[in-house]
């Protein structure tokens, strides 16, 4: 590029035009919409000072200036050429700033102003031809970049093909046009650069958007899973206690009152649990969950036996274990018809085993929300999860096992 600059000093009418085109790729890098701010405009340095990039690369329009200074066209056309050049610079810079600040491009719908700016840029280039001649080709790279980064993908292709066609006609049909052959080559190269770079930018934006959607979806699933576990467990216990209250109202009013108090407490805990799930503070201690499970099972006349110590699991493992124990307790209350539930706590291991009717064969594969939630929690904690039902004359029941 430095060699081209030296040749341009000695032959401004030929190689200078080629250097004008060499300024195009940097212009493409700072084209409208090439980098839209993600934060507030007033706080984004790029949005405030990025227009300097457009101004810096417009220095290559010095070559049309040299052509105007040496032009032998009639004075009115020279005046028009100067006006067109100044207007082109102003339109390009303001269009660039507008594109950065949300004007559109690169997957975002362009504003009406962007379309008007694009049309006026073309008009400025066309009316400068009588005064500048072939040097007007120096405007094409900037117009191409504006279309590629500031408009739609369709107009990127339309502008690129049109620019290449127009430059080729000038090179091969106009007298002395072969002196602009290198300009044609640079325009072709710029078309490739713009095509690849804009495709990568758009794909990157799409990937970022997809990642955001996936993260949002995963967050919703996590909240839904937590709410299901909390509400499902609490409502199951409340339902059982309500049935017990109905049976005790006449025979044992005092105990019925105590059970109603428990129902109030469970309802309050469920509401608090939902709030904490939404706010992100979702972890209940394993000790608390064991106590809650014991109370819930006792209300259904189911005995809870715990083998091992809570300290056998690490604090992180205990968080996952408490959630899985909660759901296993809910399932036992709803479906098992068990008389006893046994919880085994060992280093890196949690087992919840009941002596109920057991799961139908294959029920764990077509898992409902509860089993799917337990499996997902175990997977998120890097643990293995297994659930199986046993139906045999000597023993039946359901076994849930989590291992780290």
């Amino acid at each position: 590029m430095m060699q081209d600059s030296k040749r341009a000093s000695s032959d401004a009418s030929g190689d200078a035009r080629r250097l004008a085109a060499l300024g195009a790729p940097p212009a493409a890098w700072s084209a409208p919409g090439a980098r839209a701010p993600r934060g507030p405009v007033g706080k984004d340095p790029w949005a405030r000072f990025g227009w300097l990039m457009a101004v810096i690369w417009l220095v290559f329009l010095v070559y049309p200036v040299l052509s105007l200074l040496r032009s032998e066209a009639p004075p009115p056309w020279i005046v028009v050429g100067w006006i067109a050049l100044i207007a082109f610079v102003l339109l390009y810079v303001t269009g660039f700033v507008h594109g950065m600040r949300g004007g559109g491009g690169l997957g975002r719908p362009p504003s009406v102003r962007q379309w008007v700016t694009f049309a006026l840029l073309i008009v400025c280039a066309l009316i400068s031809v009588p005064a500048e001649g072939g040097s007007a080709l120096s405007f094409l790279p900037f117009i191409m970049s504006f279309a590629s980064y500031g408009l739609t993908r369709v107009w990127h292709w339309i502008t690129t093909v049109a620019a290449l066609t127009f430059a080729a006609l000038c090179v091969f049909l106009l007298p002395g046009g072969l002196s602009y052959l290198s300009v044609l080559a640079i325009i072709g190269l710029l078309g490739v650069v713009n095509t690849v770079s804009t495709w990568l930018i758009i794909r990157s934006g799409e990937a970022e958007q997809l990642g955001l959607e996936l993260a949002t979806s995963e967050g919703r699933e996590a909240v839904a899973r937590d709410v299901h576990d909390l509400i499902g467990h609490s409502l199951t216990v409340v339902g059982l206690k309500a049935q017990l209250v109905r049976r005790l109202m006449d025979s044992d009013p005092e105990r019925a009152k105590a059970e109603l108090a428990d129902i109030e407490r469970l309802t309050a805990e469920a509401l608090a649990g939902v709030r904490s799930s939404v706010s992100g503070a979702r972890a209940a201690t394993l000790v608390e969950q064991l106590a809650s499970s014991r109370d819930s099972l006792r209300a259904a006349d189911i005995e809870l036996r715990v083998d091992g110590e809570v300290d056998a699991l690490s604090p992180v493992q205990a968080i996952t274990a408490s959630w899985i124990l909660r759901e296993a307790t809910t399932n036992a209350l709803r479906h098992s018809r068990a008389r006893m539930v046994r919880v085994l706590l060992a280093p890196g291991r949690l087992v919840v085993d009941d002596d109920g009717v057991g799961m139908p064969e294959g029920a764990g594969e077509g898992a409902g929300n509860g089993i799917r939630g337990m499996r997902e929690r175990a997977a998120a904690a890097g643990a293995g999860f297994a659930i199986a039902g046993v139906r045999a004359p000597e023993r039946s029941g359901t076994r849930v096992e989590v291992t780290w």
Side-chain angles (χ1 to χ4, degrees), residues 170-351:
C170 291
V171 169
F172 295 112
L173 297 183
L174 293 179
L178 290 177
S179 60
Y180 303 105
L181 185 60
S182 59
V183 176
L184 175 61
I186 291 170
I187 290 174
L189 178 62
L190 178 62
V192 174
V193 171
N194 284 348
T195 299
V196 174
S197 61
T198 53
W199 180 79
L200 290 174
I201 292 171
I202 291 172
R203 288 298 298 271
S204 176
E206 291 174 348
E208 183 177 350
Q209 180 64 26
L210 179 60
L212 178 62
E213 292 175 357
L214 288 174
T216 302
S217 176
E218 290 174 357
R220 288 173 178 169
E221 289 180 0
V223 172
R225 184 172 61 238
D226 291 353
V227 170
H228 168 270
D229 292 352
L230 289 164
I231 296 297
H233 174 80
S234 299
L235 291 183
T236 299
V237 178
V238 167
L240 290 170
K241 285 183 174 290
Q243 294 174 14
L244 181 60
V245 168
R246 187 172 63 247
R247 294 196 303 267
L248 295 173
M249 286 183 66
D250 296 329
S251 61
D252 193 347
E254 292 300 322
R255 185 180 174 189
K257 290 179 181 180
E259 294 296 339
L260 284 173
D262 279 348
I263 289 176
E264 292 179 359
R265 176 182 59 80
L266 287 169
T267 304
E269 288 179 355
L271 290 173
V274 171
R275 294 190 188 102
S276 66
S277 293
V278 174
S279 65
R282 302 176 295 178
T285 66
L286 184 55
V287 173
E288 293 171 347
Q289 186 54 54
L290 283 169
S292 176
S293 295
R294 188 183 301 277
D295 291 341
S296 301
L297 292 169
R298 184 186 297 120
D301 293 326
I302 301 175
E303 178 187 355
L304 176 67
R305 179 181 298 174
V306 180
D307 296 332
E309 300 295 332
V310 173
D311 294 342
L313 299 178
S314 70
V316 175
Q317 292 171 348
I319 293 174
T320 302
S322 66
W323 280 107
I324 292 177
L325 175 59
R326 174 187 288 271
E327 183 59 31
T329 302
T330 302
N331 288 343
L333 290 169
R334 285 179 175 174
H335 312 298
S336 71
R337 287 184 279 172
R339 304 305 300 170
M340 185 181 70
V341 173
R342 175 173 171 266
V343 176
L344 170 64
L345 298 171
R349 187 172 179 228
L350 167 72
V351 178

Side-chain angles (χ1 to χ4, degrees), residues 33-59:
R35 182 177 176 181
R38 298 190 179 277
V41 170
K43 298 181 180 180
D44 191 336
W46 177 258
R48 296 174 61 188
F49 306 111
W51 59 272
L52 289 172
M53 292 297 295
V55 173
I56 290 171
W57 296 114
L58 281 173
V59 70

Side-chain angles (χ1 to χ4, degrees), residues 120-205:
L120 292 177
L121 288 174
I122 296 174
V123 170
C124 290
L126 290 176
I127 63 177
S128 67
V129 172
E132 298 175 12
S135 293
L137 291 175
S138 300
F139 293 110
L140 288 180
F142 296 94
I143 294 174
M144 290 169 59
S145 296
F146 191 97
S148 297
Y149 295 86
L151 300 181
T152 65
R153 193 65 172 168
V154 172
W155 275 94
H156 155 75
W157 287 111
I158 292 174
T159 307
T160 300
V161 172
L164 283 169
T165 302
F166 182 77
L169 291 175
C170 291
V171 169
F172 295 112
L173 297 183
L174 293 179
L178 290 177
S179 60
Y180 303 105
L181 185 60
S182 59
V183 176
L184 175 61
I186 291 170
I187 290 174
L189 178 62
L190 178 62
V192 174
V193 171
N194 284 348
T195 299
V196 174
S197 61
T198 53
W199 180 79
L200 290 174
I201 292 171
I202 291 172
R203 288 298 298 271
S204 176

